[in-house]
Amino acid sequence: HLNSSVESIGAIRERCKTFLSLLRDHYDGQSVLLISHGFFCRILLAEITGINPMDVPKMNNCEIRTVNY
């Protein structure tokens, strides 16, 4: 049971979609460094690749992943 103050997965997905739109609109063709929490990154990678967020491997502390989008 989640605390009511915890952001839902659906809300995180919407934030990811908004972030991806911002990247496309303002940084298309440029390199961008994203530093974030692992779960947000997993959902973001799921949005980019079209797979289930739970199928994206968990991230280790200080892990670096490179994504061409």
Side-chain angles (χ1 to χ4, degrees):
H1 173 48
L2 291 176
N3 183 317
S4 62
S5 66
V6 174
E7 187 176 22
S8 70
I9 292 175
I12 297 172
R13 288 183 78 176
E14 288 305 314
R15 263 197 312 129
C16 286
K17 290 176 185 178
T18 300
F19 179 70
L20 290 172
S21 291
L22 181 136
L23 288 180
R24 280 190 297 273
D25 293 346
H26 298 284
Y27 300 98
D28 191 42
Q30 299 181 45
S31 295
V32 175
L33 172 66
L34 169 67
I35 300 171
S36 187
H37 295 280
F39 194 66
F40 179 85
C41 291
R42 285 176 71 192
I43 293 178
L44 186 67
L45 289 169
E47 286 298 317
I48 290 169
T49 60
I51 64 173
N52 183 310
M54 297 306 150
D55 292 334
V56 176
K58 290 183 179 181
M59 299 185 78
N60 296 314
N61 288 337
C62 302
E63 182 174 337
I64 297 173
R65 292 190 189 180
T66 302
V67 177
N68 294 315
Y69 175 69

